[in-house]
Amino acid sequence: MNKTIKRLSATASSVAIASLLLSGCSSTTSSNGKSKVSSSTSSTATPRVSIMVGGLEKIIYIPYMLAEKLGYYKDAGVTVTLVEESAGQDAELALLAGQVDGAGGFYDHTLDLQTKGKKVEAVVTMADVPGEQLMVANRLKNKVKTLADLKGLTIGVTGLGSSTNMLASYNVVKGGNKESDYKPLPVGAGQTLIAAMQNNRIDAAVTSEPTASLLKNKNMAYTFVDMNSKDGTQAALGGKYASTSLYMSNDYVKAHPDVVQKLANAYVKTLKWMSTHTAEEIADKMPEEYYAGDKTLYIQALKGQLPMFTTDGKMPAGVPENVQKILSAFKPGVKNDDLSLTYTNEFVDKVK
């Protein structure tokens, strides 16, 4: 059975996680506890895998829940527990702490972690553009006209060290400023980010859908840098940027290639299904709470983001090098990364 852990208080999450795994019940929560959210596998049992995703309700991470709703985890012969947190940085930390087996986040985490002596690799690459937008508050429309004008702003990000933080830093530096010339403020996504913008706690934000469309619909912010479309990403980042991916520790991948293959089978099947169905059909499969109260707006946002997803789960040629170039603009140590350790197409290449 596939399981999704719901948001609970931090003090209760570890107990809830353990109970869910033992009982086989289905539920949803964020996990801040220290317990490992996974079960051991054996040659006779269906392997069980825990994956923390930095925002299951974000359209950029739609393949994770969609695979469950389509029954593709079950078809692949693996039981997956999806754990939700607000930022990819939380998923990264949980993976490093051994609390989960895999993380749903951006590929850039694998490069950043290697500079810290941690080896993780993307085993499925689900998107080749960030699906993010750098949005500026409408009240600053006459002030912020170039990237140089980002200096001194407070920019909302999902979490410190998150991919949204890295993309904010890159745009600030690209404008001729230093990374220290702006203040990144962790505000999550969705309603917490919207409230921060509404209360003037942030001047701008790097965010994805459906939050971006909600900000526009509420006439609160406008898109300043488009990293959502392929053309926008080319202009902003000089090429493709691998984003949504399943990454795991290199040691786990080596120890459990059969499990990784099952996950690759499920996600590639999901990506192919997405490429042959409409936004309306995809939206119908998702939990109602993901619509944020406006299904029409959700579908509109989904239509704009569908082109970002790959259809085969492969890391496109040249993309790791471009991500390395971007990160090294403000993280010099990334220049020395061994990219061959940060991703693999070995498993997606075997999917039939």
Side-chain angles (χ1 to χ4, degrees):
M1 180 184 292
N2 305 319
K3 297 185 287 281
T4 308
I5 298 180
K6 291 189 178 189
R7 289 185 178 275
L8 300 174
S9 67
T11 54
S13 61
S14 294
V15 175
I17 288 165
S19 299
L20 285 168
L21 292 170
L22 289 172
S23 67
C25 293
S26 193
S27 178
T28 346
T29 194
S30 103
S31 163
N32 294 315
K34 298 299 183 182
S35 300
K36 181 176 174 63
V37 193
S38 64
S39 297
S40 59
T41 60
S42 70
S43 58
T44 57
T46 300
R48 302 175 69 168
V49 181
S50 56
I51 300 173
M52 183 176 282
V53 182
L56 280 168
E57 78 286 353
K58 299 175 186 176
I59 291 176
I60 57 176
Y61 294 133
I62 204 170
Y64 290 96
M65 180 58 72
L66 186 57
E68 178 176 308
K69 294 300 183 181
L70 293 172
Y72 288 168
Y73 294 133
K74 182 178 180 181
D75 290 349
V78 61
T79 297
V80 174
T81 299
L82 295 174
V83 188
E84 180 175 13
E85 279 294 358
S86 61
Q89 177 69 2
D90 296 322
E92 173 191 300
L93 293 174
L95 179 66
L96 294 179
Q99 293 176 261
V100 293
D101 302 308
F106 276 31
Y107 165 69
D108 50 25
H109 286 285
T110 70
L111 279 75
D112 185 38
L113 285 172
Q114 192 175 133
T115 66
K116 301 170 184 175
K118 307 296 183 181
K119 295 180 180 179
V120 300
E121 60 186 314
V123 296
V124 183
T125 302
M126 304 180 194
D128 58 15
V129 301
E132 302 282 354
Q133 300 175 50
L134 173 53
M135 305 190 72
V136 173
N138 284 343
R139 59 186 167 81
L140 297 176
K141 186 169 286 188
N142 293 326
K143 177 182 177 182
V144 180
K145 298 183 178 181
T146 70
L147 290 177
D149 298 327
L150 295 175
K151 183 176 182 178
L153 299 190
T154 297
I155 302 180
V157 297
T158 52
L160 297 180
S162 66
S163 296
T164 53
N165 192 171
M166 294 187 214
L167 290 170
S169 294
Y170 175 72
N171 280 285
V172 169
V173 171
K174 185 181 178 183
N177 302 305
K178 300 189 297 267
E179 187 180 13
S180 59
D181 284 337
Y182 85 104
K183 178 184 178 182
L185 186 67
V187 292
Q191 293 306 316
T192 55
L193 187 153
I194 291 171
M197 184 72 76
Q198 191 169 29
N199 296 326
N200 296 337
R201 292 181 58 225
I202 55 176
D203 304 307
V206 177
T207 191
S208 60
E209 297 288 6
T211 306
S213 288
L214 289 169
L215 285 170
K216 292 176 185 177
N217 196 46
K218 294 176 182 292
N219 199 32
M220 295 172 61
Y222 65 98
T223 299
F224 183 62
V225 179
D226 171 24
M227 296 171 284
N228 185 40
S229 68
K230 291 187 182 295
D231 288 344
T233 298
Q234 179 68 42
L237 305 178
K240 294 180 179 179
Y241 191 95
S243 53
T244 307
S245 65
L246 169 64
Y247 63 89
M248 313 177 93
S249 75
N250 297 53
D251 288 342
Y252 183 94
V253 175
K254 290 177 182 177
H256 305 285
D258 55 330
V259 177
V260 179
Q261 187 62 60
K262 291 176 186 296
L263 292 169
N265 293 346
Y267 290 128
V268 172
K269 191 175 182 180
T270 301
L271 292 167
K272 288 181 177 178
W273 189 92
M274 289 174 62
S275 71
T276 57
H277 289 74
T278 66
E280 288 81 2
E281 291 171 322
I282 296 170
D284 285 342
K285 295 290 184 181
M286 306 310 293
E288 188 174 340
E289 59 265 28
Y290 286 17
Y291 306 152
D294 192 332
K295 187 176 181 180
T296 299
L297 187 66
Y298 182 86
I299 291 173
Q300 177 186 332
L302 179 55
K303 286 179 179 178
Q305 290 211 292
L306 281 179
M308 72 179 280
F309 294 102
T310 65
T311 59
D312 55 13
K314 295 182 181 181
M315 175 66 73
V319 172
E321 289 79 6
N322 192 51
V323 176
Q324 184 179 46
K325 176 183 176 183
I326 290 166
L327 296 188
S328 63
F330 57 95
K331 290 180 178 287
V334 174
K335 292 180 180 179
N336 301 318
D337 280 351
D338 181 350
L339 294 179
S340 68
L341 298 177
T342 63
Y343 74 95
T344 179
N345 284 330
E346 174 187 354
F347 300 97
V348 295
D349 281 342
K350 295 177 182 177
V351 178
K352 298 179 181 178

